[in-house]
Amino acid sequence: MSTTTVQNQTKNNNGTATKPQKTYGKIVLTLHNCLLPESIFKQTPSQVDGLDIETETDLRILGCEMIQTAGILLKLPQVAMATGQMYLQRFYYSKSFVRYPMETTAMGSIYLASKVEEKPCRIRDVINVFHHIKQVRAQKTISPLIVDQNYIELKNQVIKAERRILKELGFCVHVKHPHKLIVVYLQLLQYEKNRQLMQLAWNYMNDALRTDVFMRFPPETIACACIYLTARKIGLPLPNNPHWFLLFKVPEEDIREVSLRILQLYKRPKVNPEELESKVDALKKIYQANKHIQAQKDREAKAEEKKADSPAASTSKESKRDIKKEKSPKTPPLSKYHSSGHKKRERRSRSPYDRKRDYSSKRHKSRSRDRELDRSRERRMDDKRSRVMSRKYDDYDRAKSSRDGRDSRDEKRKH
């Protein structure tokens, strides 16, 4: 096999020169979670549009909570809910909360996550569940969602949000979750029978989805941090000489940083959705006004460029008038009295016979029109008569058939 490949290579080298290879954009597809650089966390797209850090964090927490609640009501597995929350977090590190509404993006995230995790659900169910969550949160009377034009528009927005998420993620929808790692690590530490330890570590993991921990650290570090927090809370001793987390190649500094970020989540006050919506709406109005002003400026700049490029811009008013006169076609005479004398003579010299012939041709045309109208009326009347007659015959046939049927029944009864 090796000799044949070498011979083929020599033939290609001796023959014609090979075509130059095309260069494409760099695409990296791995089974590892994509971690974002530190520069993205310092200035997100929402902060560029004027949204402060605290409001942005509250919006992220609110979106993740809605996805978690909707997943429970839709009876989706925890993996699908976690995937949807990861999609939401990743999306808003490339797009702004001001330009893209959070609720629609949350619907698109969980809808896409249900497909990826092979537990698909209908868009109608997702919209109904989010409508129910909003009513419960606002303490309103629970009423079903009416299928009208607003519902159709919302459905289209959810489909567009799903496509937008796919585009921003580069269709790389794979997410490696640390939930299985917790079970494996506890089995290695011989604590798999301790249900309290496993359940608390799992709870810390689900709460960590509302933070930016999954965008900063790999899942192995997060799994070790959840076990570390649970052991500290329960008071369970873990191997210390050497440290147990060195077995999984995780540094202690990263574990402590992840633990601090998870614990800071519990110190935050409860999120008020109405205040967040009012802040986002105010910034959205400012953004739309600036966009409108920018569009007007662009139009004016384009108009000025066209004027500068056109040759008639440098000419004076008098030269413009001369050009218009040359370009304008000669106007026809206003009436028969403004025409030339030759045409007047022609009109006067017309004989009375010619005038009579023109009059007779006009009368002939009008008579032919009247005849066509009469014929069309007669046709319509004939059609109406034929329909009426056909109906009468049909009624007669039906009556006759019904009588025959009655006679046959009477004969059978007599027999």
Side-chain angles (χ1 to χ4, degrees), residues 49 81 114 120 128 169 227 239 273 301 319 330 334 356 364 412:
D49 287 339
M81 298 181 232
S114 67
N128 284 333
L169 297 179
I227 294 168
S319 60
K330 292 181 180 180
L334 298 173
K356 190 175 180 181
H364 179 70
K412 286 179 183 178

Side-chain angles (χ1 to χ4, degrees), residues 104 111 123 154-164:
T104 311
Y111 181 59
I123 298 181
L154 182 60
K155 185 178 178 181
N156 293 332
Q157 287 174 8
V158 173
I159 293 166
K160 287 178 183 177
E162 182 196 7
R163 292 176 185 169
R164 204 177 289 122

Side-chain angles (χ1 to χ4, degrees), residues 1 10 25 36 51 56 105 124 152 158 164 253 308 386 391:
M1 290 293 287
T10 53
L36 303 177
L51 199 69
E56 185 183 358
T105 310
R124 179 175 175 77
I152 293 164
V158 173
R164 204 177 289 122
E253 294 81 10
S386 62
R391 284 174 191 166

Side-chain angles (χ1 to χ4, degrees), residues 50-66:
L51 199 69
D52 57 321
I53 301 170
E54 294 297 319
T55 308
E56 185 183 358
T57 309
D58 288 342
L59 282 167
R60 288 179 186 278
I61 293 167
L62 181 63
C64 292
E65 283 178 357
M66 290 179 79

Side-chain angles (χ1 to χ4, degrees), residues 54-325:
E54 294 297 319
T55 308
E56 185 183 358
T57 309
D58 288 342
L59 282 167
R60 288 179 186 278
I61 293 167
L62 181 63
C64 292
E65 283 178 357
M66 290 179 79
I67 289 171
Q68 184 74 24
T69 311
I72 292 165
L73 293 173
L74 291 167
K75 297 179 181 179
L76 294 175
Q78 180 59 37
V79 181
M81 298 181 232
T83 305
Q85 293 176 55
M86 290 275 285
Y87 291 163
L88 183 81
Q89 293 275 10
R90 284 185 190 175
F91 178 78
Y92 281 114
Y93 277 112
S94 59
K95 295 294 179 183
S96 173
F97 280 101
V98 178
R99 303 186 189 187
Y100 300 97
M102 181 270 296
E103 190 175 342
T104 311
T105 310
M107 289 185 200
S109 300
I110 195 165
Y111 181 59
L112 177 61
S114 67
K115 292 180 184 178
V116 172
E117 300 300 336
E118 298 179 358
K119 289 286 181 180
C121 56
R122 296 186 300 172
I123 298 181
R124 179 175 175 77
D125 296 338
V126 174
I127 294 170
N128 284 333
V129 162
F130 272 82
H131 179 69
H132 177 78
I133 291 166
K134 282 178 72 177
Q135 287 179 337
V136 171
R137 194 174 60 195
Q139 295 180 355
K140 294 180 180 178
T141 54
I142 296 167
S143 59
L145 185 65
I146 301 167
V147 180
D148 55 356
Q149 190 62 33
N150 295 328
Y151 168 78
I152 293 164
E153 289 177 2
L154 182 60
K155 185 178 178 181
N156 293 332
Q157 287 174 8
V158 173
I159 293 166
K160 287 178 183 177
E162 182 196 7
R163 292 176 185 169
R164 204 177 289 122
I165 291 163
L166 282 170
K167 183 185 172 185
E168 291 303 320
L169 297 179
F171 290 86
C172 185
V173 293
H174 172 72
V175 178
K176 188 179 178 183
H177 292 292
H179 296 77
K180 292 179 182 178
L181 295 175
I182 289 175
V183 179
V184 174
Y185 289 177
L186 290 175
Q187 284 176 354
L188 287 170
L189 295 170
Q190 296 179 356
Y191 283 113
E192 70 274 9
K193 293 182 180 179
N194 193 334
R195 288 288 174 188
Q196 187 183 7
L197 178 64
M198 191 173 288
Q199 188 61 48
L200 272 174
W202 193 280
N203 293 344
Y204 277 124
M205 180 73 63
N206 292 331
D207 292 340
L209 291 164
R210 299 172 194 174
T211 64
D212 58 355
V213 164
F214 285 85
M215 312 295 121
R216 292 174 180 268
F217 301 98
E220 292 81 9
T221 307
I222 300 166
C224 290
C226 292
I227 294 168
Y228 176 80
L229 278 172
T230 309
R232 291 287 297 270
K233 187 172 184 180
I234 295 171
L236 186 71
L238 293 172
N240 197 15
N241 193 12
H243 289 291
W244 60 274
F245 44 80
L246 296 176
L247 180 65
F248 312 117
K249 298 178 181 179
V250 178
E252 189 176 0
E253 294 81 10
D254 291 351
I255 290 173
R256 288 185 177 179
E257 190 174 351
V258 172
S259 302
L260 285 171
R261 288 183 181 277
I262 293 169
L263 291 172
Q264 283 173 2
L265 182 68
Y266 302 117
K267 293 181 180 179
R268 295 186 66 84
K270 194 175 180 180
V271 178
N272 190 354
E274 294 176 358
E275 288 182 7
L276 296 176
E277 285 178 7
S278 61
K279 287 181 182 178
V280 172
D281 289 339
L283 288 171
K284 196 179 286 184
K285 288 177 183 176
I286 295 166
Y287 166 71
Q288 288 174 352
N290 292 336
K291 192 178 179 181
H292 183 65
I293 293 164
Q294 188 65 33
Q296 282 184 345
K297 287 180 180 178
D298 293 340
R299 285 177 207 148
E300 290 173 0
K302 284 180 182 178
E304 288 176 1
E305 286 177 3
K306 285 181 181 179
K307 285 180 182 178
D309 293 338
S310 62
S314 60
T315 58
S316 61
K317 290 182 181 180
E318 293 177 359
S319 60
K320 285 180 182 178
R321 285 174 193 165
D322 295 336
I323 291 163
K324 282 182 180 179
K325 284 178 182 178

